[in-house]
Amino acid sequence: MSEAPDPEVVELATKIFDLARRGETEALVAYVDAGVPANLTNDRGDTLVMLAAYHGHAPAVTALLGRGADANRANDKGQTPLAGAVFKGEETVIRALIDGGADPAAGTPSAVDTARMFGKAELLELFGAA
């Protein structure tokens, strides 16, 4: 049987995930620079990049990728940050993820599948899937 997580650690992790959701890049990267894993995940498998991407924060996405975060890391549902950004229509985030090495074919559904689903021809062209 595993021990219950330390409440202080849970509180800190919650704060860091909230910084990603709000796009507070400077504070977020200060934690990563101090040793918080760039690929920290929550209980649903969402990384800091996923949360920043889904909520439209391209500067936070770029900063996290620059610190070693995985642009293609899928959450527990198989969704990638790029597919989430396509779903939300976050063009600056999409470009930041592509520039950071995101694979449009990764995940379920993939960013390509999501772009097709929403008739985003310009994104299919960007992804080389037109």
Side-chain angles (χ1 to χ4, degrees), residues 75-102:
N75 64 15
D76 294 348
K77 294 181 180 180
Q79 302 160 328
T80 63
L82 185 56
V86 170
F87 174 76
K88 296 286 283 194
E90 296 291 349
E91 291 189 31
T92 57
V93 172
I94 291 166
R95 297 230 179 245
L97 286 163
I98 291 293
D99 291 347

Side-chain angles (χ1 to χ4, degrees), residues 46-92:
D46 292 325
T47 63
L48 297 171
V49 169
M50 174 68 89
L51 296 173
Y54 193 76
H55 292 280
H57 304 298
V61 168
T62 299
L64 289 164
L65 294 175
R67 286 164 172 79
D70 183 352
N72 294 307
R73 181 124 176 222
N75 64 15
D76 294 348
K77 294 181 180 180
Q79 302 160 328
T80 63
L82 185 56
V86 170
F87 174 76
K88 296 286 283 194
E90 296 291 349
E91 291 189 31
T92 57

Side-chain angles (χ1 to χ4, degrees), residues 106-121:
T108 307
S110 70
V112 170
D113 294 335
T114 304
R116 282 190 180 120
M117 195 179 332
F118 291 102
K120 302 279 188 176

